[in-house]
């Protein structure tokens, strides 16, 4: 478990550095802007002339604080590692005279792909370097707690980034907005492919002979309830099937809960729609 945790942090740091390289060395020199809170930081830096890495740091502070209170300490630790690597990467790569001798369109496609791969590594390792994802997680969690229903992160993420691109269109220029939108489509397409649409609802199905401990831990640590179904295995005999719905950022905590309760078998699937 400890070795797995170390590798997850290494993956987060490498992914964050890939993302910072893409932004500083490929996207910005070709008039494209990252999305999410990094996009807001870039807009502020362009309009004020302030240091970009400092802007990213200042923009992300409120989201880190919010995540500490609403998401969990482990997630905050992974996120802090990713954001730190991203900021230091931006500060370093900005000083490197890197030139990609190709057309803007091809450079943006290439940069968006590197950005998407870097963010994929961060997300799959249970981290985050975008405050919009933290905001979406908090909003959806609060709505789910009040309504008792599960919702996708997609509407919040799309709405947040739509505002970012409108700001780019108005405050920067039309070409930058269109190129940045292309970055968004490419990066999110890669992320969705390798994370099986991380913004969608995930169904965790657990087959266990000790359901009480799992239900207790899931309620205590994730504030989630489970559907409990009596089941029977051809070899194992009588057991219990638990079904629980979580978002992608809660999956890592769910894995830890399951690993603590030995003798369980679990699967994760992506849910396109929940009918009421």
């Amino acid at each position: 478990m400890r070795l797995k945790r170390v590798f997850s942090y290494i993956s987060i740091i490498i992914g964050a550095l890939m993302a910072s390289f893409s932004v500083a060395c490929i996207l910005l020199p070709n008039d494209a802007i990252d999305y999410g809170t990094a996009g807001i930081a870039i807009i502020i830096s362009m309009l004020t002339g302030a240091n970009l890495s400092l802007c990213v740091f200042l923009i992300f502070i409120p989201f880190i604080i919010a995540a500490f209170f609403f998401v969990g300490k482990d997630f905050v630790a992974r996120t802090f590692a990713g954001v730190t690597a991203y900021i230091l990467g931006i500060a370093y790569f900005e000083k490197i005279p890197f030139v990609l001798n190709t057309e803007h369109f091809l450079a943006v496609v290439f940069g968006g792909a590197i950005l998407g791969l870097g963010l994929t590594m961060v997300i799959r390792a249970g981290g985050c370097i975008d405050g919009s994802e933290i905001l979406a997680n908090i909003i959806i969690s609060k709505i789910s707690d009040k309504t008792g229903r599960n919702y996708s992160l997609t509407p919040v993420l799309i709405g947040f980034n739509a505002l970012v691109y409108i700001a780019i269109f108005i405050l920067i220029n039309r070409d930058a907005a269109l190129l940045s939108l292309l970055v968004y489509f490419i990066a999110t397409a890669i992320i969705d492919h390798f994370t099986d649409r991380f913004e969608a609802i995930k169904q965790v199905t657990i087959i266990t002979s000790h359901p009480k401990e799992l239900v207790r831990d899931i309620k205590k640590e994730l504030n989630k309830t489970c559907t409990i179904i009596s089941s029977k295995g051809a070899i194992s005999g009588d057991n219990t099937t638990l079904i629980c719905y979580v978002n992608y950022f809660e999956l890592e905590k769910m894995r830890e809960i399951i690993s603590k309760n030995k003798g369980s078998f679990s699967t994760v699937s992506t849910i396109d729609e929940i009918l009421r």
Side-chain angles (χ1 to χ4, degrees), residues 140-157:
I140 294 302
S141 295
K142 289 299 180 182
I143 294 175
S144 297
D145 289 345
K146 288 187 177 181
T147 62
R149 298 180 177 183
N150 295 281
Y151 298 93
S152 168
L153 302 176
T154 303
V156 179
L157 292 174

Side-chain angles (χ1 to χ4, degrees), residues 98-109:
F98 180 86
V99 179
L100 191 63
N101 293 318
T102 186
E103 296 179 0
H104 275 0
F105 178 81
L106 293 177
V108 168
V109 170

Side-chain angles (χ1 to χ4, degrees), residues 172-240:
I172 309 301
N173 59 62
R174 179 184 60 186
D175 291 342
L178 295 176
L179 288 172
S180 302
L181 191 59
L182 177 62
V183 172
Y184 176 76
F185 284 129
I186 294 171
T188 54
I190 291 175
I191 294 170
D192 286 348
H193 176 75
F194 288 105
T195 63
D196 192 21
R197 304 203 315 278
F198 83 94
E199 78 284 355
I201 300 168
K202 304 297 177 181
Q203 176 181 302
V204 181
T205 303
I206 310 168
I207 300 174
T208 179
S209 56
H210 305 286
K212 290 184 179 180
E213 292 84 356
L214 275 167
V215 172
R216 179 199 63 206
D217 290 346
I218 290 171
K219 177 62 179 176
K220 179 181 178 181
E221 299 186 37
L222 286 173
N223 195 29
K224 299 283 184 180
T225 59
C226 299
T227 298
I228 304 175
I229 305 171
S230 297
S231 54
K232 187 173 185 178
I235 298 176
S236 60
D238 292 336
N239 49 47
T240 302

Side-chain angles (χ1 to χ4, degrees), residues 7 13 46 57 89 92 107 118-119 136 158 178 182 197 249 261 267:
F7 276 117
I13 292 171
M46 285 182 169
F57 174 73
Y92 175 75
L119 294 178
I158 290 178
L178 295 176
L182 177 62
R197 304 203 315 278
F249 296 107
N261 295 270
T267 60

Side-chain angles (χ1 to χ4, degrees), residues 62-63 65-71 131-145 153 247:
F63 296 96
I65 295 173
F68 180 82
F69 289 103
F70 295 105
V71 183
S132 64
E133 293 162 2
I134 295 175
L135 177 64
N137 191 11
I138 294 172
I139 291 174
I140 294 302
S141 295
K142 289 299 180 182
I143 294 175
S144 297
D145 289 345
L153 302 176
N247 64 49

Side-chain angles (χ1 to χ4, degrees):
M1 180 64 70
R2 183 175 297 178
L3 185 61
K4 181 181 177 181
R5 187 180 181 86
V6 170
F7 276 117
S8 71
Y9 275 90
I10 292 174
S11 179
I12 288 171
I13 292 171
I14 293 174
L17 291 175
M18 288 175 62
S20 63
F21 169 79
S22 173
V23 171
C25 295
I26 302 176
L27 298 182
L28 289 179
N30 287 279
D31 302 323
I33 295 175
D34 193 3
Y35 57 92
T37 50
I40 296 175
I42 293 170
I43 293 172
I44 293 174
S45 177
M46 285 182 169
L47 294 178
T48 63
N51 180 271
L52 176 56
S53 54
L54 178 61
C55 289
V56 173
F57 174 73
L58 293 176
I59 288 293
F60 211 89
I61 284 178
F63 296 96
I64 286 284
I65 295 173
F68 180 82
F69 289 103
F70 295 105
V71 183
K73 295 180 180 178
D74 185 63
F75 176 79
V76 170
R78 295 170 189 265
T79 298
F80 183 78
V83 172
T84 301
Y86 181 79
I87 292 173
L88 293 176
I90 289 287
Y92 175 75
F93 291 125
E94 276 186 310
K95 301 175 183 178
I96 293 180
F98 180 86
V99 179
L100 191 63
N101 293 318
T102 186
E103 296 179 0
H104 275 0
F105 178 81
L106 293 177
V108 168
V109 170
F110 182 62
I114 294 177
L115 176 65
L117 288 172
L119 294 178
T120 296
M121 293 180 66
V122 173
I123 292 172
R124 285 182 65 90
C128 171
I129 57 172
D130 186 359
S132 64
E133 293 162 2
I134 295 175
L135 177 64
N137 191 11
I138 294 172
I139 291 174
I140 294 302
S141 295
K142 289 299 180 182
I143 294 175
S144 297
D145 289 345
K146 288 187 177 181
T147 62
R149 298 180 177 183
N150 295 281
Y151 298 93
S152 168
L153 302 176
T154 303
V156 179
L157 292 174
I158 290 178
F160 187 95
N161 287 301
L163 294 176
V164 172
Y165 289 120
I166 290 172
I168 295 172
F169 186 88
I170 295 173
L171 300 175
I172 309 301
N173 59 62
R174 179 184 60 186
D175 291 342
L178 295 176
L179 288 172
S180 302
L181 191 59
L182 177 62
V183 172
Y184 176 76
F185 284 129
I186 294 171
T188 54
I190 291 175
I191 294 170
D192 286 348
H193 176 75
F194 288 105
T195 63
D196 192 21
R197 304 203 315 278
F198 83 94
E199 78 284 355
I201 300 168
K202 304 297 177 181
Q203 176 181 302
V204 181
T205 303
I206 310 168
I207 300 174
T208 179
S209 56
H210 305 286
K212 290 184 179 180
E213 292 84 356
L214 275 167
V215 172
R216 179 199 63 206
D217 290 346
I218 290 171
K219 177 62 179 176
K220 179 181 178 181
E221 299 186 37
L222 286 173
N223 195 29
K224 299 283 184 180
T225 59
C226 299
T227 298
I228 304 175
I229 305 171
S230 297
S231 54
K232 187 173 185 178
I235 298 176
S236 60
D238 292 336
N239 49 47
T240 302
T241 298
L242 306 177
I243 299 176
C244 184
Y245 297 97
V246 298
N247 64 49
Y248 197 90
F249 296 107
E250 294 168 328
L251 267 180
E252 190 64 29
K253 176 60 70 175
M254 179 64 82
R255 291 189 182 100
E256 292 177 6
I257 293 171
I258 293 172
S259 67
K260 289 189 298 184
N261 295 270
K262 304 298 182 181
S264 299
F265 171 80
S266 59
T267 60
V268 179
S269 55
T270 298
I271 303 300
D272 291 317
E273 183 179 6
I274 294 181
L275 301 178
R276 307 295 182 185

